Amino acid sequence: MKFYIATDHAGINYKDFVIELLKNKNIEVEDLGPYSKDRVDYPDFAQKCAKAVKEDSGSFGILICGTGIGMSIAANKVDGIRAALCHDAYTASMARAHNEAQILCFGERVVGLGVVESIIDAFITTQPEGGRHTQRVKKIMAIK
Ligand code: RB5
């Protein structure tokens, strides 16, 4: 399992915590930035992460901004990408089980670190249920 991670200035305080969390689970993680707390535009980093996930088949992404909203909207513009904004373990597990999301988004201004840990645990341990859910995912991906 490999993750790409990116944030904006409003999500960067959580980046090192998440990287350590993944490394402690022996999950490979590549930090796509930013590398300072200077103000940046979240669409740039959403696009960078979404394209990395698209090009590296089977990989996953984590995007963090203030709310997670802008990151998820921007990442979903990349063809083939399903980015899910999650607020708790339930939404994170459903994002994998029903929506087959490859990218997990959340907001540093919305969820605390304990919730982040449970969100990530749920996202990495839940498998797609397949069947009717995959049929629906295919319908999403056919929308142009
Ligand atoms: C930055 O202030 C903020 O707008 C951004 O991090 C994010 O929450 C956008 O959706």
Side-chain angles (χ1 to χ4, degrees):
M1 191 175 232
K2 172 160 185 185
F3 271 84
Y4 294 92
I5 185 168
T7 74
D8 70 355
H9 55 283
I12 197 166
N13 291 315
Y14 279 11
K15 183 148 62 76
D16 286 347
F17 175 84
V18 172
I19 289 171
E20 278 312 299
L21 199 72
L22 292 172
K23 283 186 175 168
N24 287 339
K25 295 176 188 297
N26 294 315
I27 293 171
E28 190 186 351
V29 50
E30 189 170 328
D31 181 356
L32 299 178
Y35 308 112
S36 83
K37 292 189 177 181
D38 293 347
R39 198 170 293 275
V40 293
D41 295 332
Y42 60 82
D44 298 335
F45 288 89
Q47 184 179 178
K48 197 172 175 183
C49 180
K51 287 188 170 167
V53 169
K54 182 179 178 171
E55 280 158 25
D56 185 358
S57 175
S59 70
F60 297 93
I62 293 181
L63 287 167
I64 315 166
C65 61
T67 59
I69 297 170
M71 285 295 200
S72 56
I73 292 171
N76 279 311
K77 297 283 287 182
V78 174
D79 190 46
I81 289 299
R82 293 175 298 282
L85 173 57
C86 299
H87 296 301
D88 48 35
Y90 178 72
T91 48
S93 75
M94 286 300 107
R96 290 290 300 135
H98 288 192
N99 311 115
E100 302 178 16
Q102 313 103 320
I103 298 185
L104 168 65
C105 305
F106 52 84
E108 183 181 304
R109 296 172 180 162
V110 181
V111 288
L113 289 177
V115 175
V116 166
E117 206 167 337
S118 66
I119 285 174
I120 290 172
D121 272 343
F123 192 81
I124 65 179
T125 57
T126 306
Q127 300 304 316
E129 282 179 24
R132 67 184 184 280
H133 301 295
T134 297
Q135 293 311 312
R136 291 165 185 156
V137 168
K138 283 182 183 163
K139 284 193 174 187
I140 295 173
M141 302 327 285
I143 297 170
K144 298 292 172 205

